[in-house]
Amino acid sequence: MIQELRNSLTALNDEKVFLYPTDTVWGIGCDATNSRVVSEIYKIKRRSESKSLVILVSSLNMLQKYVKVTSELKKFIHTLRKPTTVIYQDPKGLAKNVIASDNTVAIRIVQDEFCRKLIKRFGKPIVSTSANISGNKTPNSFQEIESVILEGVDYVVDLHRDSINKKSSRIVKLEVNGSITVIRD
């Protein structure tokens, strides 16, 4: 894992796009604060930039640098047992093209050890969008990833290539009034 952390960190620092295993499905990622490299992901996925992307952070402390986190939200986050992406209002410090037109952003505090260590070392959030062409089926394993995706990224992490994960993250939205709406369970 140490070498893969180094290689992935180099890709991130060199403003590259990489393919990596997450706590859910395989993801295409890059520096979530760099609009130029985020645009590369949209091109690879053949996806409109009007659709936002999921962002991964390593911790609650990192999350608080990019969105407002209330004490109620902290309590909610501490209850989460499975990977849950939360849609937050009014993000700051992120690339404009990861933010939805309604000024929201989808962020998950990652549970995967590799991802958490990588993001912590990088010091910034990373993009995590499923490794498929937009509109195509999300791959459940590395073997199901389309060759156009594999050829489109700059680096492919060599970990967990035999794992199968059929579950994307749960998605909830933090409403303006503080309530939470389940989007996908």
Side-chain angles (χ1 to χ4, degrees), residues 45-67:
K45 285 187 64 84
R46 301 178 189 161
R47 181 176 176 160
S48 166
E49 285 200 28
S50 65
K51 294 185 177 190
S52 61
L53 301 169
V54 173
I55 305 304
L56 299 181
V57 295
S58 60
S59 65
L60 184 58
N61 283 342
M62 182 179 278
L63 175 68
Q64 293 177 106
K65 293 177 184 177
Y66 300 95
V67 295

Side-chain angles (χ1 to χ4, degrees), residues 141-180:
S141 68
F142 179 79
Q143 287 71 29
E144 293 180 13
I145 298 172
E146 299 167 90
S147 60
V148 68
I149 297 293
L150 294 169
E151 294 162 7
V153 298
D154 300 300
Y155 181 70
V156 180
V157 172
D158 191 12
L159 292 173
H160 310 302
R161 290 193 179 183
D162 294 328
S163 299
I164 296 174
N165 194 339
K166 297 183 178 188
K167 196 91 166 139
S168 296
S169 70
R170 176 181 186 213
I171 299 177
V172 299
K173 184 174 184 183
L174 180 62
E175 303 292 350
V176 176
N177 66 6
S179 67
I180 295 173

Side-chain angles (χ1 to χ4, degrees), residues 12 18 20 29-34 37-38 54-59 62-67 92-95 98 105-108 115 118-120 122-128:
L12 286 166
F18 73 117
Y20 64 105
C30 71
D31 178 350
T33 67
N34 183 320
V37 74
V38 168
V54 173
I55 305 304
L56 299 181
V57 295
S58 60
S59 65
M62 182 179 278
L63 175 68
Q64 293 177 106
K65 293 177 184 177
Y66 300 95
V67 295
K92 61 185 178 205
L94 297 169
V98 299
V105 67
I107 302 177
R108 182 166 79 247
C115 291
L118 175 63
I119 296 165
K120 186 174 182 176
F122 185 53
K124 296 185 275 186
I126 64 173
V127 170
S128 181

Side-chain angles (χ1 to χ4, degrees), residues 84-96:
T84 302
T85 301
V86 179
I87 300 173
Y88 296 91
Q89 306 285 331
D90 303 321
K92 61 185 178 205
L94 297 169
K96 297 292 183 207

Side-chain angles (χ1 to χ4, degrees), residues 5-27:
L5 284 168
R6 284 184 189 132
N7 294 347
S8 300
L9 192 56
T10 297
L12 286 166
N13 286 323
D14 289 347
E15 300 182 355
K16 303 292 185 185
V17 175
F18 73 117
L19 182 67
Y20 64 105
T22 74
D23 47 359
T24 59
V25 297
W26 274 78

